[in-house]
């Protein structure tokens, strides 16, 4: 009987912990923390897309990866990040894959929806999007948006063992990954419901 009581107590404690972590998923790291980090660790903002991004040594190009990530069509940004920001993005993608495997799920790739923006990109975006800020962390190459409503099955999906997951399950799983990295002070995170993405800035 005592053993049963211990098990019951343990189950209650686990539920409390789950609720606590779930609450942390309501990230609210706004520009007041993301902009200072971007200015500290990023590049000087670039005026327009006339720049030769490949010649800027502080930047690294980000490309589609069959197993880790998919880049959506970029209308207001270019596929470049600082080296540390790119490393963080790949760490997120790898941790996400590890979490999928740990739960016996099939492989999905995260979707990247925005990266480096020029000052001209921001100016155009502000004209058409009331939620856009005139001062954007995206201008420093330190910041990226990762969709939380869209996950791409990797090319190995159909042949891979495991179960399929719903969008909500995948969003929650990605949230766990970002929670751990944020608690390690590797990044700042804002969850944007209107834009359906996690907006994050590297903190190193």
């Amino acid at each position: 009987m005592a053993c049963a009581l211990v098990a019951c107590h343990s189950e209650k404690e686990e539920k409390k912990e789950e609720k606590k972590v779930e609450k942390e998923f309501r990230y609210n790291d706004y520009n007041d923390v993301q902009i200072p980090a971007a200015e500290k660790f990023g590049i000087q903002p670039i005026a327009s897309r006339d720049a030769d991004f490949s010649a800027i040594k502080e930047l690294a190009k980000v490309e589609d990866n069959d197993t880790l990530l998919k880049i959506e069509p970029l209308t207001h940004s270019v596929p470049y990040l600082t080296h540390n920001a790119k490393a963080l993005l790949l760490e997120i993608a790898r941790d996400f894959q590890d979490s999928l495997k740990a739960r016996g799920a099939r492989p999905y790739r995260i979707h990247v929806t925005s990266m480096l923006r020029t000052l001209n990109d921001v100016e155009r975006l502000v004209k058409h999007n009331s939620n856009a800020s005139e001062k954007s962390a995206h201008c420093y190459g330190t910041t990226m948006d990762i969709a939380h409503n869209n996950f791409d099955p990797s090319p190995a999906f159909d042949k891979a063992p495991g179960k399929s997951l719903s969008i909500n399950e995948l969003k929650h799983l990605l949230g766990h990954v970002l929670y751990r990295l944020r608690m390690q002070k590797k990044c700042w995170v804002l969850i944007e419901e209107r834009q359906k993405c996690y907006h994050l800035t590297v903190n190193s």
Side-chain angles (χ1 to χ4, degrees), residues 106-107 153-161:
R106 302 167 89 180
S154 77
F157 183 85
D158 290 333
K159 297 179 181 179

Side-chain angles (χ1 to χ4, degrees), residues 2 4 9-10 14 27 32 47 50 72 75 84 100 108 114 119 123 130 137 139 142 153 156 182 189 195 200:
H9 177 72
S10 176
E14 288 178 5
Y27 300 118
D32 60 325
D50 292 334
E72 292 193 358
T75 57
N84 282 357
L100 288 169
Y108 294 83
S114 186
L119 295 175
E123 184 180 353
S130 59
C139 291
T142 55
R182 184 179 180 278
V189 186
Q195 301 299 323
L200 58 133

Side-chain angles (χ1 to χ4, degrees), residues 21-36 148 175 178-179 182-183 187-193 197-201:
V21 172
E22 187 68 38
K23 186 177 181 180
E24 293 288 344
F25 287 176
R26 299 189 66 81
Y27 300 118
N28 57 356
D29 295 332
Y30 290 96
N31 275 348
D32 60 325
V33 293
Q34 296 212 25
I35 291 290
H148 60 59
L178 297 181
Y179 171 77
R182 184 179 180 278
M183 292 302 289
C187 59
W188 298 108
V189 186
L190 174 67
I191 183 168
E192 297 184 351
E193 292 297 348
C197 69
Y198 289 108
H199 170 82
L200 58 133
T201 295

Side-chain angles (χ1 to χ4, degrees), residues 30-70:
Y30 290 96
N31 275 348
D32 60 325
V33 293
Q34 296 212 25
I35 291 290
E39 291 176 335
K40 182 177 181 179
F41 300 112
I43 63 170
Q44 288 296 314
I46 298 169
S48 71
R49 297 199 189 187
D50 292 334
D52 182 3
F53 298 100
S54 63
I56 302 174
K57 63 181 182 179
E58 294 87 359
L59 295 177
K61 189 171 185 180
V62 181
E63 299 179 296
D64 274 354
N65 184 301
D66 283 348
T67 58
L68 296 176
L69 59 89
K70 180 179 177 64

Side-chain angles (χ1 to χ4, degrees), residues 25 77 86 110 185 204:
F25 287 176
S77 68
K86 180 179 178 180
I110 58 174
K185 302 187 184 302
S204 65

Side-chain angles (χ1 to χ4, degrees), residues 42-196:
I43 63 170
Q44 288 296 314
I46 298 169
S48 71
R49 297 199 189 187
D50 292 334
D52 182 3
F53 298 100
S54 63
I56 302 174
K57 63 181 182 179
E58 294 87 359
L59 295 177
K61 189 171 185 180
V62 181
E63 299 179 296
D64 274 354
N65 184 301
D66 283 348
T67 58
L68 296 176
L69 59 89
K70 180 179 177 64
I71 301 173
E72 292 193 358
L74 303 177
T75 57
H76 292 89
S77 68
V78 292
Y80 285 87
L81 292 170
T82 63
H83 294 278
N84 282 357
K86 180 179 178 180
L88 174 69
L89 174 59
L90 294 177
E91 183 175 1
I92 291 167
R94 293 189 186 103
D95 286 356
F96 183 66
Q97 289 301 315
D98 290 342
S99 295
L100 288 169
K101 291 177 183 176
R103 285 158 180 75
R106 302 167 89 180
Y108 294 83
R109 296 186 293 176
I110 58 174
H111 275 220
V112 184
T113 61
S114 186
M115 287 180 271
L116 173 65
R117 290 177 184 161
T118 66
L119 295 175
N120 184 252
D121 287 327
V122 173
E123 184 180 353
R124 290 190 299 111
L125 189 59
V126 168
K127 288 180 180 178
H128 299 95
N129 185 347
S130 59
N131 295 316
S133 172
E134 292 184 3
K135 188 165 187 179
S136 172
H138 282 284
C139 291
Y140 299 87
T142 55
T143 305
M144 66 207 81
D145 293 342
I146 301 176
H148 60 59
N149 69 330
N150 200 5
F151 296 85
D152 189 62
S154 77
F157 183 85
D158 290 333
K159 297 179 181 179
K163 57 187 177 181
S164 301
L165 299 182
S166 68
I167 291 296
N168 281 339
E169 288 172 318
L170 291 166
K171 176 183 176 180
H172 184 71
L173 201 60
L174 180 56
H176 266 290
V177 170
L178 297 181
Y179 171 77
R180 291 193 295 269
L181 293 172
R182 184 179 180 278
M183 292 302 289
Q184 294 169 19
K185 302 187 184 302
K186 291 186 176 182
C187 59
W188 298 108
V189 186
L190 174 67
I191 183 168
E192 297 184 351
E193 292 297 348
R194 289 187 178 182
Q195 301 299 323
K196 303 297 183 185

